[in-house]
């Protein structure tokens, strides 16, 4: 986030069909519950709102047994989801811009993606949890392309030196309902994730990056009431993953999706305060985040942030405010 513009850029990575739009829809849908005593409000722009409403309606109609299809949503072009965040009844004070890069686009246009990643404050990596956890992870490389992600981040960290910009990487195992129902399972998910992204973790834990690049793992249940059931291999090595509702009458029941915003805004407010004290010293400049808003965001970010049950701050805890 740069002082003055108050725009927070969030770049989303993850294969098509992994659940990125669903994640945003669930997050937005849960927002009011999350801030009920804080007077914050999140307002999507028209286009964002209509896409998310449509997605929510689909989620609520989810059949008892289903297999998410990959790549049926037509275009393979990047999308932008825009939300304004502010105090209820007041002019918004921060804009959150989620840039959604589907897997296929990244492969064809790496340079454009690198540019966005370098400019991003937060990188949200959606990881297909069943691909990583089931069948000894044989589908992980194909679906989650960890090497391609690591290569993109290599570029980002090379360019980080030149600036004082800090970044937050949020690794989000999605479709993870089957792996977080007990402490033991959640620990196993976290460990498998660490084993499945060793080169990425090794890259980011270089000394010079430890206080610049925060990394957190946040397994969120965007549907909640479903479980993985089986994989069917259809034509030419294309797997299909099947899920089943926990009971025929189970309804859409997302869990922990608030964590994404708690971490994102915790990082953002810390960055804002650090930048502000720097600029105050140097320029004695005035800034445009109201104190009431700053306090509300701080409160939201600090409240109920999870660090157990598969959630972990892997590095850079000091970049995430904590009071
Ligand atoms: N089991 C399960 N399925 C999910 C979850 N999130 C999304 N899906 C399924 O995955 C499909 C694709 O999700 P979508 O958000 O469009 O993926 P995107 O291409 O990454 O934006 C949806 O139609 C859902 O059926 C989840 O948390 N659990
Ligand atoms: Mg999408």
């Amino acid at each position: 986030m740069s002082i003055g513009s108050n725009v927070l850029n969030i770049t989303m990575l993850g294969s098509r069909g992994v659940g990125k739009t669903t994640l945003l829809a669930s997050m937005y849908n849960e927002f009011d519950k999350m801030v009920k005593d804080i007077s914050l409000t999140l307002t999507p722009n028209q286009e964002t709102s209509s896409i998310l409403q449509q997605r929510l309606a689909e989620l609520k109609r989810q059949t008892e047994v289903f297999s998410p299809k990959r790549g049926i949503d037509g275009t393979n072009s990047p999308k932008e989801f825009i939300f304004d965040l502010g105090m209820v009844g007041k002019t918004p004070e921060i804009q959150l811009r989620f840039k959604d890069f589907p897997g296929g686009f990244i492969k064809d246009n790496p340079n454009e993606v690198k540019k966005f990643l370098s400019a991003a404050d937060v990188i949200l990596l959606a990881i297909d949890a069943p691909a990583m956890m089931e069948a000894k992870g044989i589908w992980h490389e194909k679906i989650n392309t960890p090497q391609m992600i690591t290569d993109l981040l290599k570029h980002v960290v090379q360019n980080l030196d030149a600036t004082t910009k800090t970044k937050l990487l949020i690794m989000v195992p999605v479709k993870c309902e089957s792996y977080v129902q007990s402490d033991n399972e959640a620990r196993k998910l976290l460990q498998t994730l660490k084993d499945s992204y060793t080169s990425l973790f090794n890259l980011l834990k270089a000394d010079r990056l430890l206080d610049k690049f925060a990394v957190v793992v946040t397994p969120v249940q965007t549907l909640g009431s479903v479980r993985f059931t089986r994989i069917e291999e259809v034509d030419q090595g294309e797997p299909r993953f099947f899920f089943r509702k926990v009971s025929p009458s189970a309804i859409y029941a997302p869990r922990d999706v608030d964590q994404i915003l708690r971490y994102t805004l915790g990082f953002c407010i810390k960055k804002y305060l650090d930048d502000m004290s720097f600029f105050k010293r140097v320029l004695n400049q005035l800034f445009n985040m109201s104190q009431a808003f700053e306090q509300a965001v701080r409160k939201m970010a600090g409240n109920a942030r999870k660090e157990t049950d598969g959630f972990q701050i892997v590095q850079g805890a000091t970049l995430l405010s904590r009071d």
Side-chain angles (χ1 to χ4, degrees):
M1 192 173 85
S2 58
I3 295 293
S5 69
N6 283 8
V7 169
L8 190 66
N9 287 304
I10 301 148
T11 299
M12 299 203 289
L13 300 175
S15 66
R16 212 180 328 167
V18 68
K20 297 183 295 298
T21 311
T22 308
L23 178 62
L24 283 181
S26 295
M27 202 178 76
Y28 171 56
N29 192 52
E30 294 295 289
F31 187 79
D32 290 346
K33 255 184 257 168
M34 168 183 173
V35 295
K36 50 178 186 312
D37 309 319
I38 312 186
S39 312
L40 280 175
T41 181
L42 189 66
T43 316
N45 75 359
Q46 183 99 50
E47 196 193 343
T48 298
S49 169
S50 83
I51 297 174
L52 299 187
Q53 291 302 333
Q54 199 182 329
R55 174 49 42 99
L56 279 170
E58 285 165 24
L59 294 177
K60 289 173 182 171
R61 291 197 306 266
Q62 196 82 269
T63 51
E64 191 186 344
V65 176
F66 68 98
S67 167
K69 293 197 190 73
R70 296 191 171 274
I72 39 150
D73 61 353
T75 65
N76 191 24
S77 57
K79 285 196 200 71
E80 196 164 49
F81 296 91
I82 297 180
F83 300 88
D84 287 332
L85 182 68
M87 302 297 288
V88 175
K90 301 265 171 63
T91 313
E93 303 202 33
I94 292 185
Q95 188 168 74
L96 306 177
R97 286 194 200 155
F98 291 85
K99 190 91 181 174
D100 175 3
F101 287 113
F105 184 86
I106 301 173
K107 213 166 23 177
D108 298 337
N109 306 271
N111 289 334
E112 187 173 337
V113 179
K114 283 176 189 165
K115 215 171 68 198
F116 272 91
L117 285 172
S118 294
D121 301 288
V122 178
I123 300 169
L124 201 62
L125 174 63
I127 298 168
D128 190 294
M132 189 172 77
M133 300 298 290
E134 301 295 338
K136 300 198 166 80
I138 56 168
W139 301 109
H140 175 62
E141 303 287 328
K142 180 182 169 73
I143 292 174
N144 290 317
T145 61
Q147 194 53 51
M148 182 174 82
I149 301 294
T150 304
D151 290 344
L152 285 173
L153 287 176
K154 256 180 215 160
H155 173 88
V156 175
V157 301
Q158 274 159 18
N159 291 354
L160 202 63
D161 273 343
T163 68
T164 54
K165 229 170 139 67
T166 55
K167 284 190 200 297
L168 168 64
L169 170 66
I170 308 183
M171 302 176 82
V172 191
V174 290
K175 302 177 180 168
C176 68
E177 288 87 356
S178 298
Y179 319 110
V180 292
Q181 301 304 323
S182 74
D183 279 3
N184 259 343
E185 287 172 314
R187 255 196 301 275
K188 188 174 159 208
L189 174 68
L190 190 56
Q191 190 53 51
T192 310
L193 185 143
K194 288 188 176 169
D195 297 340
S196 307
Y197 286 89
T198 357
S199 58
L200 186 151
F201 286 114
N202 286 339
L203 172 73
L204 297 183
K205 76 176 186 210
D207 279 348
R208 68 180 185 90
L209 295 175
L210 286 177
D211 59 351
K212 287 199 166 184
F213 222 114
V215 181
V216 302
V217 180
T218 63
V220 305
Q221 304 175 58
T222 46
L223 298 182
S225 50
V226 303
R227 298 289 182 271
F228 167 81
T229 55
R230 66 179 196 281
I231 302 174
E232 271 179 23
E233 199 171 329
V234 289
D235 39 38
Q236 272 110 50
E238 278 299 327
R240 278 184 73 183
F241 291 73
F242 285 80
F243 300 83
R244 172 185 280 282
K245 286 188 178 181
V246 290
S247 77
S249 58
I251 54 166
Y252 166 68
R255 292 197 53 188
D256 295 334
V257 292
D258 57 302
Q259 295 296 325
I260 306 276
L261 276 183
R262 290 193 204 279
Y263 275 104
T264 296
L265 292 174
F267 173 77
C268 155
I269 205 84
K270 181 73 193 318
K271 191 168 190 165
Y272 177 82
L273 295 174
D274 289 351
D275 284 2
M276 187 161 78
S277 54
F278 175 75
F279 277 96
K280 248 189 188 151
R281 270 200 324 267
V282 179
L283 298 169
N284 195 26
Q285 203 175 321
L286 283 173
F287 300 100
N288 50 356
M289 202 188 274
S290 74
Q291 229 168 32
F293 178 71
E294 184 204 306
Q295 266 160 21
V297 172
R298 239 200 240 246
K299 194 163 172 192
M300 191 204 90
N303 269 353
R305 197 163 71 189
K306 284 181 82 164
E307 289 179 36
T308 55
D309 304 322
F311 287 75
Q312 192 175 67
I313 298 177
V314 180
Q315 70 180 56
T318 53
L319 300 174
L320 304 153
S321 75
R322 194 79 246 243
D323 53 281

